[in-house]
Amino acid sequence: MSLPKPSIPKGTRDFNPVEMIRRNFIFETIRNVFQMFGYQPIETPAMENLSTLMGKYGEEGDKLLFKILNSGDFMHAVQNLNLKSQNSELKSQNYKDLTPYISEKGLRYDLTVPFARFVVQHQHELIFPFKRYQIQPVWRADRPQKGRYREFFQCDVDVVGSHSLLYEVELVQITDAIFSALGIKVLIRINNRKILAGIADAVGAADKLPDITIAMDKLDKIGLEKVNEELIQRGISREAVEKLQPIFQLEDMLKSNAGILSDFLRNSEIGCKGLEEIEKVNDFLKIIDLNNKFIFDIKLARGLNYYTGTIIEVNALDVAIGSMCGGGRYDDLTGIFGLPDMSGVGISFGADRIHDVMLELNLFPSTIVTSTRVLFINFGADEEKYCLNLASRVRAAGIPAEIYPEQVKIKKQMDYANRKNIPYVVLAGQDEIQSGYIAVKDMKSGEQHTMVIDELITLLQL
RNA sequence: GUGGUCGUAGCUCAGCUGGUUAGAGCGAUAGAUUGUGGAUCUAUAGGUCGUGGGUUCGAGCCCCAUCUUCCACCCCA
């Protein structure tokens, strides 16, 4: 009779101590930068009312939401529904129709929508422009792949209550600062939804904007010909596709052949507005020094449909993994919760992908793995008591220390110190208790010195 | 959600066209060394071969289902 092996749901992970130390290093780096720009932390619940989440991420997003089954007799509602619908033809067992009756809560899909809900709910307590950051897990019922998990951590910074393009620039600065601090080389891509709308406008396919952007986004991936095929398949006319060709050729829309774009958008009001915005952002960016490359990339689309202005995405230069970071401006996200005219802009860092990239490129500093600095060897009952006191004094000086819990062979205790990467071991037996000195062994060099406890503390405080 | 792929000891893997009691390296534990670690040597433990069915005299190997992994699509951090 063997129990089934314990396991965790698909796409989720346990984090062991080493991984946690690395992840915390990432979180702390990100948090420090956020705070440097004046953002303040908030948290929201893991679960939201399903009505808060549904319809915010497009049809695809609704499918990827984890829905929580109502507690108690959820079938009751279904039975009532069946009774009522017996005469009507709502006999369909369609799960989509059933969902609202059996599930009223869902796990959050991102941090932006719950934040919008938060802003509306707490609008009278907040100081605007409200700058907040939020580091929490999100859940998506996606099919897992490399760098794609069903539970993953996002680190969001957003500011709501201002249309200022200074914030767009601030987000680029934050992004640059974070990836510089972590040592990851990235390409920051910037575009503007209004320009994309203007392009669709200019080729007479304003209603096909989502189709055009989705296809354009794939230019780097599948190439020009396939994109053109897909456009036609998505119902864009041949003339329109023909007109789009010069746009597809643009490397950086604000460099060399920038005239192409402004000509193209001349008759589109929204397009001109977008170009104006992005030029202004560019003017700001010229003033500050960035470590990483950035490009005004017309091909950048981004799927979330609440973006209305600037959009940003960041990719690692040295690892093939999805984007590590993405965001943009949304003019009316709080509108759906009853607070109109509250423009926001924000960006989200994917902690798990950043972790995977850093691991692959060996970017974690070796210094972050140490925890305990001194191990007191256990020689027996009297010595234990003696060490208990010494260890307390070491800790009081801010140095992490531990005492081996059993009197076992020194070899075994030393081995424990080695495996936990503890740099110093203290040997205090009867002789040492008598003399008041302790033997301190440097586990790296193997050297051993006799000293008093205060000398050890001084040594470790260096 | 669609199509494909992987799964053998704690880890990395071997295992012939189905044929006795399924192997290696590393790791673990114990000892050589009862106050001195990393090396070496010796010994020991550890697997219902992801799970459940089926075919067969016989299945780690073949078939079906299911879970998991990774990949492509979709979409995205």
Side-chain angles (χ1 to χ4, degrees):
Chain A
M1 243 183 80
S2 68
L3 294 164
K5 279 181 190 149
S7 63
I8 54 175
K10 180 192 339 201
T12 65
R13 294 144 303 149
D14 287 326
F15 300 116
N16 65 31
V18 173
E19 289 166 327
M20 279 312 295
I21 286 165
R22 290 182 181 137
R23 293 172 65 83
N24 285 340
F25 173 75
I26 293 171
F27 291 137
E28 270 156 39
T29 304
I30 290 175
R31 188 178 291 122
N32 285 340
V33 174
F34 287 172
Q35 285 174 349
M36 200 58 69
F37 285 81
Y39 291 81
Q40 296 184 304
I42 70 159
E43 287 200 1
T44 62
M47 62 182 108
E48 292 277 348
N49 292 327
L50 211 45
S51 56
T52 301
L53 304 173
M54 292 290 279
K56 310 301 188 297
Y57 310 103
E59 208 176 316
E60 200 64 31
D62 284 351
K63 278 192 227 162
L64 298 180
L65 279 170
F66 275 108
K67 295 155 193 96
I68 298 171
L69 195 58
N70 289 344
S71 4
D73 183 8
F74 61 86
M75 282 303 287
H76 190 72
V78 179
Q79 278 150 8
N80 276 353
L81 184 68
N82 279 341
L83 283 176
K84 277 189 208 156
S85 60
Q86 233 158 29
N87 299 328
S88 71
E89 58 266 41
L90 194 101
K91 255 290 185 190
S92 77
Q93 291 289 331
N94 192 322
Y95 74 98
K96 277 184 190 160
D97 299 335
L98 213 56
T99 304
Y101 294 93
I102 59 172
S103 169
E104 56 189 20
K105 297 177 290 298
L107 295 178
R108 62 166 168 255
Y109 179 91
D110 71 358
L111 299 178
T112 308
V113 167
F115 173 55
R117 191 225 81 222
F118 176 94
V119 168
V120 175
Q121 223 175 308
H122 300 274
Q123 50 185 291
H124 303 297
E125 309 156 24
L126 303 176
I127 301 159
F128 292 99
F130 180 54
K131 305 176 81 171
R132 85 88 175 73
Y133 73 85
Q134 189 171 351
I135 298 176
Q136 289 191 275
V138 304
W139 294 269
R140 295 183 190 176
D142 214 339
R143 191 167 287 204
Q145 274 182 44
K146 188 188 183 72
R148 172 178 297 196
Y149 305 99
R150 291 183 133 181
E151 177 185 62
F152 60 98
F153 277 72
Q154 289 195 327
C155 314
D156 274 37
V157 249
D158 287 82
V159 51
V160 291
S162 168
H163 288 92
S164 172
L165 293 171
L166 277 174
Y167 285 122
E168 266 84 341
V169 178
E170 186 162 292
L171 292 184
V172 175
Q173 284 182 284
I174 287 172
T175 303
D176 186 62
I178 286 173
F179 288 111
S180 301
L182 294 173
I184 305 173
K185 288 186 208 125
V186 295
L187 175 65
I188 302 169
R189 297 154 72 214
I190 303 167
N191 196 5
N192 193 301
R193 269 288 165 88
K194 294 191 179 85
I195 291 178
L196 294 171
I199 290 169
D201 214 1
V203 299
D207 56 319
K208 291 283 186 190
L209 174 61
D211 293 286
I212 293 175
T213 54
I214 287 170
M216 274 178 75
D217 196 41
K218 296 181 191 168
L219 269 169
D220 288 331
K221 205 170 180 182
I222 62 175
L224 184 61
E225 279 179 38
K226 296 228 167 163
V227 168
N228 287 337
E229 277 173 35
E230 184 164 335
L231 282 166
I232 285 167
Q233 206 178 351
R234 284 174 179 272
I236 316 290
S237 71
R238 280 191 186 277
E239 299 93 296
V241 173
E242 200 56 47
K243 278 193 198 166
L244 284 170
Q245 297 310 301
I247 295 296
F248 292 165
Q249 307 295 336
L250 288 175
E251 266 301 314
D252 186 322
M253 64 177 112
L254 294 185
K255 297 232 172 99
S256 55
N257 41 10
I260 296 175
L261 189 62
S262 52
D263 280 353
F264 199 85
L265 297 173
R266 189 176 299 144
N267 295 319
S268 164
E269 196 187 329
I270 190 165
C272 289
K273 184 81 178 49
L275 198 55
E276 200 181 297
E277 284 182 14
I278 214 157
E279 276 168 351
K280 191 153 184 204
V281 169
N282 190 32
D283 284 343
F284 283 135
L285 286 176
K286 279 183 199 153
I287 299 168
I288 51 181
D289 284 325
L290 294 180
N291 292 316
N292 289 287
K293 290 180 185 163
F294 65 95
I295 177 175
F296 291 93
D297 189 353
I298 196 81
K299 299 185 289 292
L300 174 62
R302 290 195 62 73
L304 293 174
N305 54 16
Y306 48 68
Y307 293 119
T308 52
T310 307
I311 46 181
I312 301 178
E313 194 163 296
V314 181
N315 290 86
L317 289 176
D318 303 320
V319 177
I321 196 167
S323 61
M324 288 188 294
C325 182
R329 181 170 287 276
Y330 39 91
D331 280 331
D332 200 30
L333 195 53
T334 59
I336 37 180
F337 298 120
L339 180 63
D341 303 320
M342 182 66 85
S343 186
V345 60
I347 191 162
S348 177
F349 294 79
D352 303 84
R353 284 188 182 172
I354 291 172
H355 171 272
D356 291 355
V357 167
M358 290 184 69
L359 199 62
E360 195 165 330
L361 299 177
N362 232 317
L363 294 176
F364 287 106
S366 55
T367 49
I368 65 171
V369 293
T370 43
S371 53
T372 303
R373 307 293 319 281
V374 201
L375 176 74
F376 288 83
I377 297 291
N378 191 324
F379 285 108
D382 293 343
E383 292 89 340
E384 247 172 33
K385 288 179 187 160
Y386 188 69
C387 287
L388 207 50
N389 181 279
L390 295 182
S392 295
R393 290 173 61 183
V394 171
R395 292 190 195 109
I399 298 155
E402 52 182 306
I403 304 171
Y404 198 86
E406 329 269 346
Q407 187 201 344
V408 294
K409 273 187 288 200
I410 309 298
K411 175 186 161 74
K412 195 167 176 177
Q413 302 193 39
M414 291 278 190
D415 205 44
Y416 176 81
N418 272 333
R419 301 213 305 166
K420 280 192 77 175
N421 253 312
I422 299 173
Y424 293 94
V425 158
V426 169
L427 299 109
Q430 286 304 327
D431 296 351
E432 285 81 3
I433 294 177
Q434 295 304 318
S435 69
Y437 285 86
I438 51 171
V440 175
K441 188 178 177 99
D442 179 334
M443 293 302 277
K444 207 163 189 179
S445 67
E447 286 174 34
Q448 190 166 319
H449 297 287
T450 304
M451 59 183 80
V452 293
I453 191 72
D454 288 333
E455 287 177 279
L456 172 67
I457 289 170
T458 313
L459 176 73
L460 290 173
Q461 277 173 333
L462 291 179

